[in-house]
């Protein structure tokens, strides 16, 4: 079973207006509501693929209740822990040209609520499960919150995929997740200067490498830095350049065979969905990266985050023979 | 007892941002939530004054549930009828200079839900009550919805105050509300050209009139037009120019003794709160208009709609001796 963790979910609202007029009053012609937050995007993609998935995390208030209702409509099993605070909203105002975003701050989580979540997590996660840990930590959750969850999952015999940034990523890596999925910006934040050469540099396996010395050189070095921080494997998402994976056994790359126009929000979450499924199924790196590239691109082709365009996914999978 | 009717309530959200950047992403530093819609503003002012008030109308979904929670926190008795649709939100983005507003459309109300509301209204309203009918009608409620409620209230021995616009106002007036409170813009919409002289022009009572032949001339003629449409009395709100009242017995005016800076949203609702209380207590026009002017101005001095600045209210009441 795959378990997605969303500690700071959101109700994502999209308002359609004719044109954005600062200091004007706008009658919104259409309102779209969806469960938001990176972990819920991962769960949405897995549910769309027909994979069993349980979404857990923290939800509060009437906004949290609305998210629960929407998840039920998407066929996602929800196992959230209630909190006293109101779950946040995000509002995106789409005017035909582009969108203007407003992000509410997350609610404050009490120490008692965090303890209740840890209890729920222990009860939920078992041997053979894969846990995807995605997104920011809300105020009140300790900076090493993901590290604690990674250790609990390992104790239970489950694997973990970590997709976060900043301090939460730094602390999480030290707990040795099975896979970390930073993007280029998150890597740059983690290693503001060029990362030091890791103590045990991963040795590229020639068969799996394409151009590791070229454009991928910097990413490969940063990926090695992530391994040195504690991750057992790392996949760096690089937008249209595709994915670079690294573990103790080598480095692999895969790139989309074509450039897709669309909405890149949620592409990283679709990538995590593919990686979590691949970890569960012990899929070899070449097949796994091809799948993750195709699913990420299919998310770009879908209009909203948390879903993929299945036609694009299957078309790209056929065009992306795994490099073996 | 005063009963406020809000058929198209809203959850009013105010987002504080540093500056509004079109097509940018904004971290909202503060979120304020309040029950919105004109009828709920009237109820909020009455509750703040310590007057018994029951708020009824239509509420749906998790947004409706949130409004119920907020009303309980404001000490307002709520007697809403549930609907299947989601109650709307409004978002105001305040950037220090001014606010940018986004108004969601109201939910569709089914014929069955409207019938359920009429049953609830019949059960709720009794002899001696005053019913304030405020704001727009949501989709699905017939254009003569307020007219139906005015007739039901009259049958029960209750009085009515109508504060709406457009077709809902036109239909409502024909049902002979005890008082209508249009503002200048609503009057201009009701009478696109100069209104015809009513068949029985109201005769100004000299003692109560100040400058009826001056700036108030047009308003007095329009007020007479409202009476000709069916209202038993009318109060026209004219912003800083104050109020003009008219009934079969004459015309009265009152204006604020000073110009107040602040937020004019909700001033008309505070006026309706004063008028509803005055109808209940059979307060004579001069005292009633002085009270309504002071309470409207006190709403301008309060930061958000649905509340008044009590110090301003009492100070203006002392400066506004009723003209007898």
């Amino acid at each position: 079973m795959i378990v997605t963790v969303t500690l700071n979910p959101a109700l994502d609202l999209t308002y359609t207006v004719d044109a954005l007029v600062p200091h004007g009053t706008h009658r919104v012609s259409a309102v779209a509501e969806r469960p938001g937050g990176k972990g819920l995007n991962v769960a949405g993609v897995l549910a769309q693929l027909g994979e069993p998935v349980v979404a857990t995390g923290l939800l509060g208030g009437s906004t949290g209740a609305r998210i629960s209702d929407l998840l039920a409509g998407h066929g996602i099993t929800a196992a959230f822990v209630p909190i006293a605070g109101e779950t946040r909203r995000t509002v995106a105002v789409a005017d035909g040209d582009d969108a203007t975003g407003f992000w509410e701050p997350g609610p404050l989580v009490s120490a008692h609520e965090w303890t209740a979540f840890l209890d729920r997590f222990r009860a939920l996660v078992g041997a053979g499960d894969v846990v995807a840990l995605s997104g920011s930590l809300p105020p009140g959750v300790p900076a090493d919150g993901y590290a604690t969850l990674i250790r609990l999952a390992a104790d239970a015999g489950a694997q973990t995929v970590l997709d976060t940034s900043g301090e939460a990523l730094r602390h999480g890596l030290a707990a040795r997740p099975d896979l970390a999925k930073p993007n280029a910006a998150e890597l740059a934040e983690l290693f503001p200067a060029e990362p030091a050469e890791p103590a045990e540099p991963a040795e590229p396996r020639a068969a799996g490498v394409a151009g590791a010395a070229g454009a991928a050189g910097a990413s490969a070095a940063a990926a090695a830095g992530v391994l040195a921080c504690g991750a057992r494997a790392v996949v760096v998402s690089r937008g249209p350049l595709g994915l670079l994976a690294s573990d103790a056994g080598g480095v692999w790359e895969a790139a989309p065979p074509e450039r897709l126009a669309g909405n890149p929000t949620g592409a990283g979450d679709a990538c995590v969905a593919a990686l979590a499924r691949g970890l569960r199924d012990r899929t070899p790196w070449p097949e796994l990266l091809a799948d993750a590239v195709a699913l990420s691109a299919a998310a770009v082709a879908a209009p909203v985050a948390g879903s993929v365009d299945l036609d694009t996914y299957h078309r790209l999978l056929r065009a992306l023979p795994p490099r073996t």
Side-chain angles (χ1 to χ4, degrees), chain A:
Chain A
M1 187 176 68
I2 298 172
V3 177
T4 67
V5 174
T6 315
L7 296 174
N8 203 6
L11 179 66
D12 284 349
L13 307 176
T14 303
Y15 287 172
T16 303
V17 302
D18 287 340
L20 180 68
V21 181
H23 301 162
T25 297
H26 305 74
R27 294 217 171 256
V28 174
S29 59
V31 180
E33 283 187 327
R34 49 175 298 279
K38 293 169 67 65
L40 289 179
N41 291 342
V42 175
V45 170
L46 288 167
Q48 196 186 348
L49 294 174
E51 299 291 348
V53 59
V54 174
T56 186
L58 305 166
L59 281 179
S62 59
T63 306
R66 180 67 182 152
I67 290 175
S68 288
D69 289 348
L70 293 171
L71 289 175
H74 285 74
I76 297 170
T77 303
F80 279 79
V81 169
I83 59 171
E86 273 278 324
T87 292
R88 68 196 169 114
R89 285 163 289 231
T90 72
V91 176
V93 179
D95 58 19
D97 284 338
D98 201 346
T100 306
F102 302 97
W103 293 43
E104 295 187 10
L108 182 66
V109 178
S110 72
H112 178 75
E113 289 163 344
W114 175 240
T115 302
F117 178 76
L118 293 178
D119 289 344
R120 184 66 174 270
F121 186 82
R122 274 190 206 95
L124 195 61
V125 173
D129 288 348
V130 175
V131 181
L133 307 155
S134 301
S136 59
L137 299 175
V141 170
D144 65 354
Y146 282 139
T148 302
L149 297 179
I150 289 164
R151 292 192 187 100
L152 288 176
D155 291 347
Q159 297 182 89
T160 44
V161 183
L162 178 63
D163 181 13
T164 185
S165 59
E167 282 305 294
L169 174 59
R170 192 180 304 275
H171 283 282
L173 290 176
R176 311 219 64 198
D178 293 280
L179 183 55
K181 195 221 66 63
N183 60 28
E186 287 157 356
L187 278 185
E189 190 189 1
L190 194 64
F191 303 119
E194 275 297 302
E197 280 298 300
E200 292 181 46
E203 183 179 314
R205 187 155 40 154
V209 175
S219 292
V226 173
L227 298 182
C229 287
R232 297 172 196 276
V234 59
V235 171
V236 181
S237 57
R238 303 172 301 171
L241 292 176
L243 302 176
L244 180 143
S246 178
D247 67 8
V251 175
W252 295 262
E253 282 190 279
E258 59 187 87
R259 188 130 186 179
L260 283 146
N263 173 15
T265 308
D269 304 325
C271 177
V272 168
L275 297 174
R277 181 169 66 170
L279 271 189
R280 182 195 66 189
D281 299 343
R282 314 229 169 247
T283 310
W285 276 121
E287 288 86 342
L288 177 50
L289 282 195
D291 189 53
V293 162
L295 204 58
S296 303
V300 173
V304 295
S307 64
V308 293
D309 184 83
L310 288 176
D311 287 345
T312 301
Y313 173 52
H314 293 298
R315 179 166 56 77
L316 292 185
L317 263 192
R318 285 191 298 272
L320 264 166
R323 297 176 190 157
T324 51

